[in-house]
């Protein structure tokens, strides 16, 4: 038997058709799974008893196991999730002014080994399957229902949790198909879904062809020497290749690529760095999120001063970039950017 959350609507329609069942039933099943949050096939009362029995004989519906929930002083909530094989991941529910954003994991651990990232210190275990990615979102909406909140308030998804999304490309794209299924799936607008990458160049190009979601690139340095020190992926795909892939990335005319730049004291936070960054990104439809380093125990890096951060930002603003300093949420519970590790508390 297989978890039905591993199936896109088209995949499920194909399976139904192979069993002599009219494929349009896939839409009805999806509506029960993702809109009505059904936990059993017996709840799907507009399906025949025969079809429900057929589904029960071949599939199961499973929620993730919540081992721990931590709540930040800023109301950010971090979920420590146990998978069926006993491995753990984390996802983060971030309250915004009038909605929620969910930060989703795509792998157990991460193999990219970025020096500043706490997730990397736990090593890489495996990719998440489609159902494990999708269930993070489905279960988060169910969690809001249990709190008597409108599940539609969860309107933004960012693949910025544990792992490198583009290294789990097949499952990522299938998951995005369910996430952005506007008829019967999770019904997220592609404008509100962002995939972040450390720079897997061939997959960046492919993502633009296969989907219409937003791209965010973790850049963090303005020279190959420094970026290779911070992010080993740069040795395989150096800056010129990465930036060319971004320049030619397929997207709608008004969209821009978000470049995430983690500011680390004495590493990449000078005015000269800011000027180099502006020059690098000038040919690209870019916006910049500056992220002051989120410190954790035994880290090799520190957060720059507020003045240093402001001066760096001003260089970009003076050159007409769309740029902000991103306020990290949940850093007191290790839920901020680069702090996820999925350990038991």
């Amino acid at each position: 038997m297989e978890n039905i959350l591993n199936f896109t609507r088209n995949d499920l329609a194909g399976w139904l058709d192979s069993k002599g069942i009219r494929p349009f039933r896939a839409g009805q099943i999806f509506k029960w799974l993702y809109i009505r949050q059904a936990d059993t096939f017996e709840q799907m009362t507009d399906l025949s008893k025969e079809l429900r029995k057929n589904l029960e004989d071949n599939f199961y519906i499973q929620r993730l196991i919540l081992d721990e929930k931590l709540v930040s002083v800023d109301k950010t909530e971090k979920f420590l999730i146990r998978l069926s094989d006993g491995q753990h991941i984390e996802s983060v529910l971030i309250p915004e002014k009038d909605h929620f954003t969910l930060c989703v994991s795509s792998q157990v651990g991460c193999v990219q080994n970025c020096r500043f990232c706490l997730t990397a210190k736990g090593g890489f275990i495996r990719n998440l399957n489609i159902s494990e990615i999708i269930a993070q979102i489905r279960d988060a909406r169910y969690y809001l229902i249990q709190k008597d909140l409108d599940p539609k308030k969860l309107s933004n998804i960012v693949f910025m949790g544990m792992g490198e999304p583009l290294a789990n490309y097949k499952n990522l794209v299938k998951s995005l198909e369910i996430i952005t299924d506007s008829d019967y799936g999770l019904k997220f607008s592609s404008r509100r879904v962002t995939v972040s990458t450390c720079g897997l160049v061939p997959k960046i190009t492919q993502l633009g062809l296969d989907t219409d979601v937003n791209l965010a690139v973790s850049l963090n340095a303005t020279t190959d020497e420094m970026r290779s020190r911070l992010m080993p992926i740069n040795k395989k795909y150096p800056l010129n290749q990465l930036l060319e892939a971004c320049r030619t990335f397929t997207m709608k005319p008004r969209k821009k690529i978000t470049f995430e730049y983690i500011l680390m004291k004495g590493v990449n936070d000078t005015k000269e760095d800011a000027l180099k960054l502006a020059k690098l990104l000038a040919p690209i439809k870019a916006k910049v999120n500056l992220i002051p380093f989120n410190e954790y125990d035994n880290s090799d890096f520190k957060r720059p001063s507020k003045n240093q951060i402001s001066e760096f930002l001003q260089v970009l603003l003076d050159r007409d970039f769309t740029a902000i300093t991103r306020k990290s949420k949940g850093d007191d519970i290790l839920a901020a950017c680069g702090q996820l590790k999925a350990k038991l508390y």
Side-chain angles (χ1 to χ4, degrees):
M1 294 179 69
E2 187 168 1
N3 191 332
I4 198 168
L5 302 186
N6 279 316
F7 281 62
T8 66
R9 183 155 56 99
N10 285 336
D11 290 340
L12 185 56
W15 183 87
L16 291 169
D17 191 44
S18 73
K19 301 295 182 182
I21 303 166
R22 297 176 71 181
F24 81 89
R25 297 292 183 190
Q28 292 176 282
I29 296 165
F30 257 50
K31 188 173 182 179
W32 279 105
L33 292 173
Y34 297 114
I35 300 172
R36 295 174 178 168
Q37 291 275 341
D39 283 317
T40 68
F41 295 111
E42 192 58 35
Q43 291 174 270
M44 302 181 182
T45 51
D46 59 354
L47 303 181
S48 69
K49 288 185 178 180
E50 181 183 1
L51 177 52
R52 280 180 275 169
K53 179 65 167 57
N54 203 335
L55 292 171
E56 286 174 1
D57 289 344
N58 289 277
F59 300 107
Y60 61 92
I61 307 168
Q62 186 175 48
R63 293 196 183 274
L64 299 173
I65 301 168
L66 181 62
D67 268 354
E68 185 72 71
K69 180 187 75 173
L70 296 180
V71 183
S72 168
V73 293
D74 62 27
K75 306 302 181 185
T76 296
E77 298 181 76
K78 181 167 76 166
F79 306 115
L80 179 68
I81 296 164
R82 176 161 39 99
L83 306 174
S84 58
D85 62 355
Q87 298 295 337
H88 286 83
I89 57 169
E90 291 178 333
S91 61
V92 181
L93 186 64
I94 305 165
E96 312 286 359
K97 184 177 180 180
D98 57 358
H99 67 278
F100 291 92
T101 295
L102 186 70
C103 182
V104 175
S105 291
S106 55
Q107 296 179 310
V108 182
C110 187
V111 76
Q112 304 305 323
N113 202 29
C114 298
R115 283 188 57 205
F116 48 80
C117 183
L118 184 58
T119 305
K121 298 185 183 302
F124 173 74
I125 307 297
R126 65 173 177 85
N127 286 329
L128 296 185
N129 60 39
I130 298 165
S131 65
E132 291 166 335
I133 295 172
I134 289 300
Q136 292 175 68
I137 305 166
R138 181 174 180 264
D139 289 4
R141 279 194 165 160
Y142 186 65
Y143 174 71
L144 293 179
I145 292 171
Q146 291 178 309
K147 293 179 68 174
D148 292 324
L149 296 172
D150 183 356
K152 293 180 182 178
K153 289 288 186 182
L154 174 51
S155 60
N156 290 46
I157 300 297
V158 292
F159 280 83
M160 298 180 183
M162 295 175 63
E164 163 56 56
L166 298 189
N168 187 12
Y169 190 80
K170 181 179 177 181
N171 290 341
L172 170 71
V173 171
K174 288 279 191 179
S175 299
L176 291 172
E177 188 176 336
I178 298 170
I179 291 166
T180 59
D181 185 331
S182 59
D183 293 319
Y184 299 103
L186 286 164
K187 291 191 168 187
F188 284 86
S189 166
S190 60
R191 294 182 296 105
R192 294 182 175 270
V193 179
T194 300
V195 173
S196 179
T197 180
C198 67
L200 275 64
V201 168
K203 297 301 184 185
I204 288 175
T205 301
Q206 195 63 41
L207 185 73
L209 299 173
D210 290 341
T211 77
D212 191 31
V213 299
N214 301 310
L215 175 66
V217 176
S218 184
L219 192 61
N220 307 318
T222 57
T223 66
D224 279 320
E225 180 184 7
M226 178 56 71
R227 195 165 191 269
S228 293
R229 279 179 53 197
L230 296 173
M231 306 175 70
I233 190 65
N234 195 73
K235 297 173 184 177
K236 185 172 185 179
Y237 302 115
L239 278 170
N240 65 325
Q241 293 182 30
L242 174 60
L243 295 174
E244 179 61 16
C246 292
R247 190 186 68 79
T248 58
F249 183 73
T250 302
M251 58 184 175
K252 291 182 177 177
R254 293 187 179 182
K255 279 192 173 184
K256 293 182 178 181
I257 296 173
T258 299
F259 287 87
E260 298 159 322
Y261 192 96
I262 300 175
L263 287 164
M264 292 165 268
K265 183 178 180 180
V267 176
N268 63 353
D269 62 340
T270 67
K271 183 177 180 180
E272 182 183 2
D273 288 315
L275 290 167
K276 287 181 180 176
L277 180 61
K279 184 176 180 180
L280 284 175
L281 299 184
I284 302 170
K285 294 170 64 176
K287 56 184 178 181
V288 181
N289 277 359
L290 297 179
I291 307 170
F293 181 72
N294 295 304
E295 297 182 13
Y296 52 84
D297 291 344
N298 302 316
S299 168
D300 295 332
F301 303 99
K302 299 296 180 185
R303 186 186 187 97
S305 68
K306 289 184 178 179
N307 284 343
Q308 196 75 15
I309 295 167
S310 296
E311 289 176 6
F312 196 106
L313 175 63
Q314 195 59 51
V315 169
L316 299 175
L317 295 176
D318 288 346
R319 283 151 185 80
D320 297 323
F321 279 92
T322 301
I324 62 167
T325 301
R326 194 165 85 195
K327 186 182 186 310
S328 293
K329 294 186 177 182
D331 55 347
D332 58 315
I333 57 170
L334 293 182
C337 178
Q339 291 184 324
L340 301 187
K341 195 178 180 183
K343 64 179 180 178
L344 290 167
Y345 301 94

